Every structure is written in C-alpha cells, then in structure tokens.
C-alpha cells in the first residue's frame, strides 16, 4: 500500500470558473474524458439553492487581479478564471469547480482511496494503481486549468520504511511515468500539516513543531502590555498544540504535549517575574496552577495540552468516524473491523488510540458504552452520566444512512470530558489553587 500526496500551484487563482458554474447549473458544458464526463451529463446537486446567483454576481464576468512583479511594478490583469486570494467564497468555489471531476475520475479504480481538502489531494492504495490514478488525475487537473506543484508531491510506502534502500520497483515507476513528479519519503510525509509515517518520524516531526513554538516565546515576552501578552499566549500560542493532539494518537503526542506545556508555563512565569525556584515554592506552585484554571474559575485559562490529550482525540476521532460513515466509504468498511481485538494492531493506530482514550477517560468518571448496562440507575444527586460510545456505535447502519430523520450518535462534547479530567486529576484540579491559601 502506498500513500501519495499531491498539491497544486496557485490553484485558487487558476481554477476554471466554467466548471464551477457547470456544477451550480447541474450539467457539464465541457467534456472531461478522463473523468468520464460528457457534455450534458448531470453533475451533483448544488449544496445551496440559488448559490449560482451569488457566484455570478462576483465572478460572472472578468475580475481584476493585481500582479506584483519582481521589478517592483504592479500590473492589473483581467481574469476569467480563479478566485481572489482571501475571498471567503474561494474555498467553496474551488471545491465546487474541481470535486465533481476528481470524484468521477476516482470511480475508475475503487482499489484507490482518494480524498481532498481543497487543493491538497491524497491517494492510498496499491502502488501501481496509485500511479495509474495519479496519471489520470493529472490529466483531469489540466482540463480544470490546474498544475501540480512538484516539490509538494510526496510518496510514502509503509512497508518500505525499515528498508535501507527502496526496491527497484520505484525506479521502474519513475521510468514508466516520467511526467509524474514526486519525492520519495522513506519514513513518512507531512499530510495537511500532520506527520504520517513511522512512530519515530512522527515524534521527530512533533519535536520540531514544539521547538518552533518555543522559539516564538522570547519575542512575545518583549511585549510590555501584560494584557496583550496574556491574550497572545491564550489565543495563539496555547492553542497551537491542540491541532496536533486532536488529530494524532496520544501515544505519539504525549511527550509533545508535555514539552509545549513546560515551555508555555516557563514563558508566562518568567514574564510574571516568578523566582527561578518557583517550582519548589508552594505559593508559587499554586499561582502557576491557577494560570491553568479557567477564566471563570479565577484563572488565566491556559489549559494544558496534556490535560486535553485524551478528550481532544476522543472528540475529534469519534466525530470524524461518525461523519465518514455517511460517505461512500460506508459501502466498503465492515463494522466488525472497527474493533481493536486484533492483538497485532499497532498501539499507534487510530482505533487503538480511541480505545485507549475511552479507557483513560473512564478512570475520570466517564462510562464506556459496553459497561453502562451493568450499572445501577443514577441517583437524583448524581450528575448525568457521560457515556463514551463504542467505535461500532458511531458507524451508521444502512437504515440510518437512508433515513434523513435518523438521530446522529450521541458524542459527549470535548469540554465536558476535559472538565472531568480537571476535576479528578490532582495535577490539574482547581483545588490546588485554594489549598493552603493562608501561605
């Protein structure tokens, strides 16, 4: 199995607007042979009724793009393709222009799984099939007036990660597809800002991210206004680790979260002129703990990434699994495969991580779905129980997919799960703030 990531050059500025308006009108006006689309073929129903009028009012005619050349001059260009950079309609317009053709092309080989986030496309499947699809998609992109960015096209083959050299089949593929650019990544590749590869590659990638976050702190510490400093730390710096812990298994992000927590807390305590030995001084320890407490509870709201480690991944993965179940993937994945009973499965796999999160959160008071039937009914004084659904419960059944009124799976919000950890874990409990206040 191979993983191939593709990216494009100036995609928003060059994508065909005609394909956008074809999608909005519901019928193709130009053919795309490699996608199997002929003139007059029906296209997917537009997501919002009357959206065509909105796009026509903005992009129906030529629009003026301003090009800043290297010689310092600016040039106005009348353009009938593409969308303005920064336009909030740009991502939607790009997706409507390209996804129907890309989706039709992918149907030519169901052994290849393809998915896109705007102009980033990833292909997963048997190596030869992936390259055949790559060749097809490159031709489809050309009909959409799009070009590939060679330096951002990466290939990763998990089975080759431990080999000292890639097999000769890679050279054969290069000779067979000389016009398909790609960089072979031995241990992993960056995918939408996240590492995908061996555990060693992922941890090294995250260590680099942590060092970059740490490197920004000295400059922020020069801000003289304490309110501005704290807002930047709260709204910018402290949120950066959350992107990674939401989307990667805790087995990979645990040390990363601790490193970021230490760096951020060290920066804030230094800004507040804590003594160098504050970590051994009880009053300063409580003051540092108060920085991590929510604003409504009298703290600074700098919630530690490590306290969100399990709740963040649980919320992100459970929501993603529930949503994916309503896509065409539901036809190809067996519900039984959602278990983690296989003892050979990696501890870094997403399903294994989901199981680990459920186990961990249950120690703080949440209840796993499979344990709920054996529990006595809650008393009137007890708070409502937080039930953690099993992975198989998140995957919709065939009847649910066909029923528009079917209730979505009940997924507890991340904030409730994080609050549980804060209440039960002594390391993050708000009680540390008030303990021994007479000191």
């Amino acid at each position: 199995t191979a993983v191939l990531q593709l990216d494009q050059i100036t995609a928003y500025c060059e994508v065909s607007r005609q394909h956008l308006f074809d999608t909005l009108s519901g019928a193709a006006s130009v053919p795309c042979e490699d996608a199997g689309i002929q003139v007059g073929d029906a296209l997917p129903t537009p997501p919002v009724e009357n959206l065509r009028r909105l796009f026509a009012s903005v992009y129906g005619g030529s629009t003026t793009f301003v090009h800043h050349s290297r010689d310092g001059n600016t040039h106005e260009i009348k353009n009938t393709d593409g969308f303005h950079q920064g336009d909030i309609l740009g991502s939607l317009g790009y997706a409507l222009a390209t996804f129907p053709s890309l989706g039709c092309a992918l149907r030519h080989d169901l052994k290849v799984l393809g998915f896109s986030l705007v102009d980033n496309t990833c292909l997963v499947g048997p190596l030869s099939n992936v390259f055949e699809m790559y060749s097809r998609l490159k031709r489809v992109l050309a009909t959409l007036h799009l070009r590939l960015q060679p330096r951002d096209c990466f290939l990763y083959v998990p089975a080759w990660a431990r080999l000292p050299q890639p097999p000769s089949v890679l050279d054969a593929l290069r000779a067979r597809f000389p016009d398909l650019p790609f960089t072979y990544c031995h241990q992993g590749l960056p995918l939408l800002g996240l590492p995908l590869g061996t555990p060693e590659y992922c941890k090294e990638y995250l260590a680099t991210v942590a060092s970059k976050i740490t490197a920004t702190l000295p400059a922020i510490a020069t801000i003289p206004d304490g309110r501005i400093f704290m807002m930047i730390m709260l709204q910018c710096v402290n949120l950066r680790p959350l992107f990674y812990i939401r989307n990667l298994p805790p087995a990979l992000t645990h040390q990363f979260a601790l490193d970021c927590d230490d760096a951020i807390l060290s920066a804030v305590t230094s800004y507040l002129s804590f003594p160098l030995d504050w970590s051994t001084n009880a009053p300063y320890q409580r003051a540092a703990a108060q920085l991590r407490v929510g604003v409504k509870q009298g703290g600074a709201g700098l919630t530690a990434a490590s306290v969100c480690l399990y709740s963040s991944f649980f919320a992100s993965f459970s929501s993603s699994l529930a949503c994916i179940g309503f896509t065409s993937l539901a036809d190809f994945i067996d519900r039984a495969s959602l278990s983690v009973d296989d003892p050979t499965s990696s501890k870094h796999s997403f399903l294994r991580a989901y199981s680990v999160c459920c186990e961990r959160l249950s120690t703080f008071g949440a209840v796993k779905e499979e344990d709920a039937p054996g529990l006595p009914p809650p008393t009137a004084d007890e708070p409502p129980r937080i039930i953690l659904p099993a992975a198989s419960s998140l995957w919709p059944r065939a009847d649910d997919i066909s029923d528009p009124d079917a209730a979505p799976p009940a997924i507890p919000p991340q904030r409730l799960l994080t609050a549980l950890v804060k209440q039960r874990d002594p390391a993050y409990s708000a009680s540390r703030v008030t303990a021994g206040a007479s000191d």
Side-chain angles (χ1 to χ4, degrees):
T1 300
V3 181
L4 180 70
Q5 177 183 271
L6 306 176
D7 197 8
Q8 296 150 37
I9 302 173
T10 59
Y12 278 40
C13 297
E14 298 184 4
V15 66
S16 166
R17 287 188 205 162
Q18 183 57 54
H19 285 81
L20 161 69
F21 287 109
D22 283 358
T23 301
L24 294 175
S25 65
S29 66
V30 291
C32 182
E33 298 293 339
D34 288 287
I37 296 175
Q38 303 297 327
V39 174
D41 284 355
L43 296 175
T45 304
V48 179
E49 196 173 345
N50 296 324
L51 191 60
R52 187 175 187 277
R53 295 181 182 180
L54 174 61
F55 272 102
S57 67
V58 182
Y59 290 107
S62 63
T63 53
T64 302
F65 283 34
V66 178
H67 173 67
H68 300 273
S69 59
R70 294 180 179 177
D71 60 8
N73 295 318
T74 59
H75 309 272
E76 290 190 356
I77 302 172
K78 297 296 184 181
N79 203 336
T80 55
D81 272 340
F83 306 97
H84 287 286
Q85 290 287 343
D87 184 357
I88 58 173
L89 290 174
S91 295
L92 177 59
Y94 176 89
L96 291 173
T98 60
F99 285 6
S101 297
L102 294 176
C104 289
L106 286 166
R107 292 194 185 102
H108 283 75
D109 186 354
L110 296 181
K111 291 183 179 180
V112 177
L113 170 65
F115 55 92
S116 293
L117 180 64
V118 287
D119 60 338
N120 292 275
T121 299
C122 187
L123 302 177
V124 181
L127 184 61
S128 60
N129 297 67
V130 163
F131 269 79
E132 290 283 0
M133 184 57 68
Y134 181 9
S135 179
R136 180 183 294 274
L137 290 187
K138 185 181 180 183
R139 297 191 297 271
V140 170
L141 290 174
T143 67
L144 299 169
H145 304 175
L146 294 171
R147 301 170 293 151
L148 290 167
Q149 175 61 280
R151 70 169 182 263
D152 291 331
C153 295
F154 301 115
L155 172 69
Y156 169 57
V157 183
W160 297 351
R162 305 298 179 185
L163 299 179
Q165 297 292 333
S168 58
V169 65
L170 192 61
D171 293 329
L173 281 173
R174 291 186 188 276
R176 182 181 172 191
F177 300 99
D179 60 334
L180 301 184
F182 69 92
T183 298
Y184 172 64
C185 301
H186 180 51
Q187 288 200 315
L189 52 78
L191 182 64
L192 300 176
L194 294 167
L196 174 69
T198 64
E200 296 80 8
Y201 170 81
C202 294
K203 291 178 180 179
E204 182 179 352
Y205 184 101
L206 291 174
T208 301
V209 172
S211 66
K212 289 180 179 178
I213 294 175
T214 303
T216 65
L217 299 177
I220 299 173
T222 63
I223 298 173
D225 191 314
R227 295 169 301 176
I228 296 176
F229 169 83
M230 287 303 298
M231 288 301 296
I232 292 176
M233 295 299 294
L234 178 64
Q235 301 294 338
C236 301
V237 180
N238 202 58
L239 293 180
R240 290 182 66 182
L242 299 185
F243 170 70
Y244 301 93
I245 66 175
R246 282 179 61 83
N247 295 294
L248 292 172
L252 295 175
T253 58
H254 181 256
Q255 188 58 50
F256 165 75
L258 293 175
D259 292 343
C260 290
D261 288 346
D262 289 345
I264 291 170
L265 190 59
S266 176
V268 176
T269 55
S270 175
Y271 188 87
L272 296 175
S273 300
F274 278 32
L276 294 178
D277 63 345
W278 69 264
S279 60
T280 60
N281 187 311
Y284 281 103
Q285 286 179 348
R286 289 192 291 275
Q290 187 168 2
L291 294 171
R292 295 299 195 186
V293 176
V295 174
K296 292 182 179 180
Q297 288 75 42
L302 291 170
T303 302
S306 52
V307 78
C308 303
L309 197 64
Y310 299 97
S311 59
S312 294
F313 182 83
F314 172 90
S316 176
F317 182 71
S318 56
S319 299
S320 299
L321 189 61
C323 291
I324 291 173
F326 284 92
T327 70
S328 57
L329 284 177
D331 299 330
F332 302 98
I333 297 182
D334 183 5
R335 293 175 62 87
S337 67
L338 298 178
S339 70
V340 290
D341 295 334
D342 181 2
T344 64
S345 66
S346 168
K347 67 178 182 179
H348 302 105
S349 74
F350 279 73
L351 283 171
R352 176 69 65 185
Y354 183 78
S355 177
V356 168
C357 286
C358 289
E359 291 287 347
R360 182 67 174 169
L361 292 170
S362 68
T363 65
F364 295 111
V367 178
K368 293 188 293 181
E369 181 185 35
E370 54 267 35
D371 296 337
L375 296 176
T379 65
D381 298 332
E382 286 186 67
R385 286 175 179 158
I386 299 178
I387 307 298
L388 307 175
S392 57
S393 297
L394 296 169
W395 197 264
R397 301 179 188 278
D399 293 342
D400 295 334
I401 295 176
S402 59
D403 182 6
D405 297 323
I411 300 173
Q414 176 187 333
R415 58 181 176 79
L416 292 182
L417 298 171
T418 303
L420 273 183
V421 179
K422 287 183 176 181
Q423 292 167 8
R424 305 292 182 93
D425 192 328
Y428 303 106
S429 174
S431 62
R432 295 176 61 199
V433 176
T434 56
S438 58
D439 293 344

